[in-house]
Amino acid sequence: MTISKELLDELLKGCERPEDLLGDAGLMKELRIKLMERMLGAELTAHLGYEEGKDAPRDQSNRRNGTSSKRLKSQDGEVPIAVPRDRDGSFEPELVRKGQTRIDGMDDKIIGLYAAGLTVRDIRAHLEDVYGLQVSPDLISRVTDAVLNEVREWQLRALERMYPIVIFDALRVKIRDADSRMVKNKAVYIALGVSRDGVREVLGLWIADNEGAKFWLSVMTELKNRGVQDILIAVVDGLKGFPEAITAAFPEATVQTCIVHLVRHSLNFCSWKDRKIVAVDLRRIYSTATADQAAAELDAFEGKWAGKYASIGPAWRRAWAEVIPFFAFDPAIRKIIYTTNAIESLNRVIRKSIKTRGSFPTEEAATKLIYLAIRNFEKGGRNVREWFAARNQFAIMFDERFNA
């Protein structure tokens, strides 16, 4: 629709200063109010079947019944409008629904601020400073609680039959326990899958008191119940009993320990002055071409460092069965399964959102924020780089399982 120059000239009569147009009592706000009221009047006309100012049909008892005042919260501050009514109360406007108190995507703004890690107090201060709106903590909680319905649908959605790679990890979050009312470090479990087409997809999140193989088994069972029948490669962080939990649910899965986690664990035993050189020597183990060469490099590492750091070598040997699987793969696949970098980047997004929170009052509050962080992470690009080469390797190495 084109607005004529004549109409614009008429509207702008008397506007001499910026505030005359854009101020709290300016033309733009007044025009918006009048247009909304005009549209509401048109809705009531359609509902009653007769124009305003004209007589209602003789056989119709329902009539116009004045207006009721309503104050809507918007990005322009509070907007007062007059909502037309009918006698029997059957009019249900679409533009501004009954009970609605916010317009202009204010809910999205509140959720966006919450996803950025702002507390309820911070959100209230921001809305008042920027938009001149005074909103109650209860309103903010109701808006963000609506996310929980989305979380439930997301957590129960059907998954693909097969994932070439699934990366499992957990991070710690401080949450107030519902029973003891004490703040505890709880584990947030995350499963990040890579689909047949190379698309990263967070399969779910779970919160429990501790990270343990028993709980991971329940996660595997849930994934199976949601449609996952096969995982080709499962990348884990070295938790004791985790490989058994995975293979109990997915017997054919190849379990690969995250090398970066193992290196970090090893460096915890080192003094600061030795960390760089120890890291270089460890790299010689996992950057070799074959598992046999890696074993020889591990022997050489122990020959050099066993006297000073006796715990590192045995730690690698205990995990050796889950360290060496990636040596069987082409470099195209090694780049992807070599480390849990993909989920580490997701964890960084989550930690950025939760870093301003000392703790969460409930698990639901933590779930809302972490889910919103995941949603933002997936918007940022979900395709795995150089997947085409890796896909061809998977198709050859796993044949029927990959192509089924």
Side-chain angles (χ1 to χ4, degrees):
M1 181 179 67
T2 302
I3 300 176
S4 68
K5 181 178 180 298
E6 291 76 14
L7 178 57
L8 287 173
D9 290 340
E10 182 68 24
L11 287 170
L12 291 172
K13 280 182 181 178
C15 288
E16 299 176 353
R17 301 169 301 168
E19 54 265 32
D20 293 335
L21 179 65
L22 302 173
D24 191 53
L27 173 65
M28 293 297 290
K29 188 169 184 179
E30 182 183 359
L31 184 59
R32 188 178 191 198
I33 293 170
K34 296 301 182 186
L35 288 172
M36 291 177 67
E37 291 177 345
R38 185 68 177 269
M39 292 174 69
L40 288 167
E43 285 192 53
L44 182 57
T45 294
H47 176 71
L48 295 176
Y50 72 94
E51 296 286 343
E52 185 177 5
K54 295 185 178 181
D55 294 332
R58 292 182 180 179
D59 58 346
Q60 180 175 308
S61 61
N62 198 14
R63 301 282 195 277
R64 281 181 165 79
N65 189 31
T67 62
S68 60
S69 61
K70 191 168 196 173
R71 302 187 73 84
L72 298 172
K73 292 179 172 63
S74 78
Q75 63 184 18
D76 297 325
E78 285 197 333
V79 179
I81 63 169
V83 181
R85 300 180 301 190
D86 59 342
R87 288 183 180 178
D88 64 14
S90 59
F91 176 47
E92 295 280 353
E94 291 291 326
L95 180 64
V96 180
R97 297 179 180 275
K98 289 183 177 180
Q100 181 178 341
T101 59
R102 303 176 301 281
I103 55 175
D104 291 329
M106 285 305 297
D107 287 8
D108 291 338
K109 286 182 173 59
I110 290 173
I111 290 174
L113 293 169
Y114 190 84
L118 273 69
T119 64
V120 171
R121 180 181 300 174
D122 294 335
I123 293 172
R124 291 184 69 197
H126 178 83
L127 293 176
E128 185 168 4
D129 290 344
V130 177
Y131 304 111
L133 294 177
Q134 293 185 350
V135 297
S136 67
D138 182 60
L139 185 148
I140 295 172
S141 295
R142 287 201 309 271
V143 171
T144 56
D145 281 347
V147 174
L148 290 174
N149 293 328
E150 187 178 335
V151 173
R152 281 187 281 270
E153 292 178 5
W154 173 78
Q155 190 72 18
L156 295 174
R157 76 195 188 282
L159 300 174
E160 295 190 16
R161 186 198 66 80
M162 182 277 300
Y163 286 90
I165 301 172
V166 179
I167 305 169
F168 298 98
D169 199 10
L171 65 154
R172 296 285 174 172
V173 177
K174 293 183 182 296
I175 301 173
R176 188 174 297 279
D177 186 71
D179 297 325
S180 67
R181 306 306 300 162
M182 295 178 62
V183 174
K184 295 183 177 180
N185 266 327
K186 295 195 175 185
V188 177
Y189 301 82
I190 297 174
L192 177 64
V194 178
S195 73
R196 188 196 311 267
D197 297 321
V199 178
R200 294 181 301 175
E201 175 187 0
V202 179
L203 308 185
L205 71 92
W206 303 265
I207 298 178
D209 288 342
N210 294 292
E211 183 181 7
K214 183 178 180 180
F215 186 82
W216 272 120
L217 180 58
S218 70
V219 170
M220 301 303 138
T221 302
E222 180 181 320
L223 294 178
K224 291 192 72 172
N225 291 338
R226 290 167 59 196
V228 181
Q229 298 179 26
D230 196 8
I231 295 174
L232 303 186
I233 302 171
V235 184
V236 301
D237 62 359
L239 176 69
K240 185 178 180 181
F242 199 174
E244 291 78 10
I246 293 173
T247 54
F250 303 101
E252 295 184 273
T254 298
V255 180
Q256 170 71 49
T257 290
C258 170
I259 302 298
V260 169
H261 275 81
L262 192 54
V263 170
R264 287 176 184 165
H265 174 73
S266 300
L267 295 180
N268 286 337
F269 296 103
C270 302
S271 64
W272 283 103
K273 67 174 184 175
D274 288 337
R275 284 195 171 196
K276 284 188 178 180
I277 191 168
V278 169
V280 170
D281 289 345
L282 288 173
R283 180 183 291 274
R284 294 193 178 95
I285 300 173
Y286 59 83
S287 62
T288 58
T290 67
D292 289 340
Q293 290 174 348
E297 289 293 343
L298 178 58
D299 290 338
F301 178 89
E302 286 192 298
K304 180 178 180 180
W305 293 104
K308 193 170 186 179
Y309 302 120
S311 300
I312 297 179
W316 280 72
R317 294 194 184 280
R318 285 193 298 271
W320 198 246
E322 285 77 46
V323 169
I324 60 174
F326 83 102
F327 286 109
F329 298 106
D330 183 270
I333 297 179
R334 285 194 196 186
K335 285 183 180 180
I336 304 169
I337 66 174
Y338 167 81
T339 174
T340 56
N341 272 350
I343 207 161
E344 287 293 326
S345 63
L346 170 60
N347 286 346
R348 280 194 296 273
V349 173
I350 294 173
R351 289 190 181 100
K352 184 178 179 180
S353 294
I354 65 177
K355 69 179 181 180
T356 58
R357 308 294 185 93
S359 63
F360 289 93
T362 63
E363 289 188 5
E364 288 76 14
T367 298
K368 284 190 296 185
L369 186 55
I370 294 169
Y371 168 75
L372 290 170
I374 290 171
R375 196 171 70 175
N376 289 338
F377 168 80
E378 292 188 333
K379 286 179 182 177
R382 300 171 59 187
N383 293 328
V384 175
R385 293 181 180 179
E386 302 178 11
W387 178 252
F388 182 76
R391 178 189 172 107
N392 290 339
Q393 290 292 321
F394 274 114
I396 293 170
M397 296 185 69
F398 294 96
D399 194 16
E400 293 181 0
R401 291 173 63 194
F402 184 81
N403 296 300

